[in-house]
Amino acid sequence: MEFSAFCALHHDQYLRYAQARLGTRTGAALLAACLHELARLWPEVLRSPSAPAFGWRLLASAAGILRAERTAGSALYQHLPATLADAVLLCHGLGLSVPEAAALTGIDECVLTGRLRLARRGLPAGTLDALAGSADVPGAPGAPGSPGSPGSR
């Protein structure tokens, strides 16, 4: 029951992240595998300081490994370390607020804000503007099918 509630609460954000990193099908398949693993590890997850952060580490690590095996990665991940690129993807690509992204990843809001500032320095000009609303990021603000985009009603 607790695991079902956890999944209901975090599934959408995890899915959007996985799909943005790996594409629609691969991201969904990776999330399904990670949720299966979380269910298996659920007693350990409950003993951790943060269940969402435990799930995040599992998913982000698996996405990074799979992405590295498949391709060199997106421009965002080519220009930045994964922790900075993830912060940018969550806040600028997927439209999560800093508090939402911090809660999902299990890091302090100040740390996340610092990562976003560092990322801005490491990215070519215009990258953040291009990322926000990118049709390549499923569920991103302005992407087809996202809230507020044409045809989402």
Side-chain angles (χ1 to χ4, degrees):
M1 189 177 266
E2 293 163 336
F3 181 70
S4 295
F6 171 85
C7 289
L9 187 61
H10 300 291
H11 185 271
D12 184 54
Q13 292 174 332
Y14 287 156
L15 179 62
R16 290 174 54 214
Y17 168 79
Q19 289 179 331
R21 291 281 316 262
L22 301 166
T24 303
R25 286 187 197 156
T26 305
L30 179 67
L31 178 57
C34 286
L35 289 176
H36 179 72
E37 183 66 7
L38 278 177
R40 190 182 71 74
L41 297 171
W42 194 242
E44 182 181 344
V45 173
L46 290 176
R47 288 190 302 271
S48 74
S50 168
F54 192 105
W56 170 260
R57 285 189 301 273
L58 180 66
L59 179 61
S61 175
I65 292 168
L66 189 57
R67 185 71 181 181
E69 289 174 355
R70 294 179 69 218
T71 68
S74 71
L76 184 62
Y77 288 85
Q78 289 174 358
H79 289 286
L80 298 172
T83 55
L84 300 183
D86 283 347
V88 171
L89 178 59
L90 291 171
C91 293
H92 292 280
L94 301 181
L96 271 63
S97 68
V98 168
E100 289 171 327
L104 183 68
T105 60
I107 61 173
D108 187 87
E109 290 180 35
C110 293
V111 171
L112 183 64
T113 300
R115 288 179 181 177
L116 290 169
R117 286 187 184 135
L118 283 172
R120 283 187 196 100
R121 293 183 201 145
L123 288 172
T127 303
L128 293 179
D129 293 334
L131 184 61
S134 169
D136 295 337
V137 180
S146 65
S149 70
S152 66
R153 291 178 180 91

